[in-house]
Amino acid sequence: MSYRATSAKLAARMICNSRVVASKRAMSLMARSRPTVRSTVVNAAIKPLIASRGIKQINFGGTVETVYERADWPREKLLEYFKNDTLALIGYGSQGYGQGLNLRDNGLNVILGVRKNGASWKAAIEDGWVPGENLFDVTEAVKKGTYVMNLLSDAAQSETWPTIAPLLTKGKTLYFSHGFSPVFKDLTKVEPPKDIDTILVAPKGSGRTVRSLFKEGRGINSSYAVWNDVSGKAHEKAQALAVAIGSGYIYETTFEKEVNSDLYGERGCLMGGIHGMFLAQYDVLRENGHSPSEAFNETVEEATQSLYPLIGKYGMDYMYDACSTTARRGALDWYPIFKKTLKPVFVDLYESVKNGSETKRSLEFNSQPDYRAKLESELDTIRNMEIWRVGKEVRKLRPENQ
């Protein structure tokens, strides 16, 4: 795509300091680069321990939603709110790692529950968790916790539920980061007790990203939901925990919508769909005589290093403004064709998620005794694809890797 020269000129014109005065065109682009939302703040009375605060309502393209921000829960307020609680985080996979370390760094009383002497136990010790102090086996951690944060894998949640469920006594709060297990309880057999608060906070990214953004002083976007509100404070608990684990802003959803959107997104634009498009475009270029490096650069490198970061920062509308007239014309002509072709696939995908087919498939595969070996075989197939072997060499050529 021949957008580079135009993009560079636009970026230069957008710099506003003592030496450069932005043009009207650049100012227009900057206006479009920011979220076109209108904010209003309304006062709301909150339960004891939380004084009156502003609740931000934002108009997202005509739909007004309430969002909660990190500023609503400063660290001092979190420490006060959770001063009598023990947060028992179960599992030390991706989310357990990120959320657990962030809670610990925020100064909250968090303990970790994992299988003793297993790989996660050893990894936790390497990260500074101390056996008998803030590292326990799963059963002991659940018993000690006033909050039980179940961050085991979906399959492991199903397998361990008969052990964990009897320990979820009245007064505890059950926490998930994915609606998978309770929503598909007919398959997972995970049914939260009706006499305890049950909440969810779902970061919009991996646990590693939750951790890295926290360390950078930023925050990941997260959704929250309430399954049971026995105490009348379940929404409040979820919002507070969302900030405590490292969220920047939080929006409300339901367990059902969270799991449907999550499974759908992972299989679609976030991973499966984009991988399929990369492979298809790369294959056609190679079949038409383009070299491996050219095919990779025009398919992946330019997308991830040049275009996607700008889309993330400014939006797709900015990209149309920032590219050449030729590139713009081609994109305008072809995006409706892609949408028309792909939408039926996405409709089928969403139905497969909603009716539980994807859940059934996941549980059946991940519960097999040899699933790790089978998974590794599939991942090896991807690692050995020409496109990703080429990518490894291309990344070495980036100036920052020299």
Side-chain angles (χ1 to χ4, degrees), residues 201-340:
V201 175
K204 300 298 106 180
S206 73
R208 300 285 164 175
T209 308
V210 171
R211 180 60 176 164
S212 64
L213 291 180
F214 176 85
K215 290 169 70 176
E216 292 170 16
R218 300 161 64 192
I220 197 163
N221 303 334
S222 299
S223 61
Y224 89 89
V226 171
W227 183 272
N228 289 333
D229 186 4
V230 177
S231 69
K233 297 181 179 180
H235 288 266
E236 184 178 281
K237 291 177 178 180
Q239 294 157 19
L241 265 180
V243 173
I245 67 164
S247 302
Y249 88 83
I250 311 103
Y251 61 92
E252 186 178 0
T253 186
T254 67
F255 273 64
E256 292 83 359
K257 288 179 180 177
E258 187 283 327
V259 69
N260 287 343
S261 62
D262 187 76
L263 295 180
Y264 173 74
E266 290 168 347
R267 287 151 177 75
C269 290
L270 301 181
M271 293 177 67
I274 198 68
H275 190 196
M277 287 190 68
F278 279 158
L279 295 177
Q281 178 166 308
Y282 182 89
D283 285 353
V284 170
L285 285 170
R286 293 289 285 121
E287 289 161 6
N288 280 274
H290 296 268
S291 70
S293 62
E294 183 172 51
F296 184 85
N297 273 285
E298 292 299 330
T299 299
V300 179
E301 191 74 353
E302 189 166 345
T304 59
Q305 299 304 297
S306 299
L307 299 183
Y308 293 172
L310 287 178
I311 294 171
K313 190 171 183 179
Y314 299 116
M316 182 63 78
D317 54 339
Y318 174 86
M319 279 308 310
Y320 278 94
D321 282 319
C323 68
S324 70
T325 55
T326 301
R328 185 186 303 145
R329 182 69 264 149
L332 289 170
D333 288 343
W334 277 91
Y335 89 77
I337 297 172
F338 276 103
K339 179 182 177 182
K340 182 178 179 180

